[in-house]
Amino acid sequence: MKKQDNYWLTYAKATFVIATIAMIISIVKLPGDLIVKGYYSICSLFLVSATITLSKAIRDESESNRLINRIEEAKTAKLLNELDE
């Protein structure tokens, strides 16, 4: 892993932790009943879960497309080599 990738990963983790802490503090300080705070807490957890799932799905699709492109490039190269012979 490159040093730049390591910095990006650290930045991503730090921003996630800071945003989560800020969300928790804002829900705790929210005026209202416990049921309202519980509702916002559940919605926040669902949002975090959906975000993680979406980012994983996008990454998986990108990796799949990259693999398919590499296979297609290999097939094309093989075909070109056969035509040259």
Side-chain angles (χ1 to χ4, degrees), residues 58-85:
I58 290 171
R59 186 198 68 206
D60 289 348
E61 184 172 349
S62 174
E63 288 178 356
S64 174
N65 288 339
R66 188 172 55 197
L67 178 64
I68 290 171
N69 288 340
R70 289 171 65 190
I71 291 171
E72 290 297 323
E73 287 174 6
K75 286 180 182 178
T76 304
K78 182 180 176 185
L79 210 117
L80 288 174
N81 284 337
E82 288 175 359
L83 287 175
D84 285 342
E85 294 175 356

Side-chain angles (χ1 to χ4, degrees), residues 6-21:
N6 192 22
Y7 287 138
W8 178 251
L9 185 60
T10 302
Y11 170 77
K13 288 179 181 179
T15 56
F16 178 79
V17 169
I18 291 169
T20 304
I21 290 171

Side-chain angles (χ1 to χ4, degrees), residues 27-47:
I27 290 173
V28 169
K29 297 286 185 179
L30 184 71
D33 296 340
L34 190 59
I35 195 159
V36 173
K37 292 180 182 183
Y39 173 76
Y40 283 121
S41 298
I42 294 296
C43 289
S44 299
L45 289 174
F46 181 65
L47 180 62

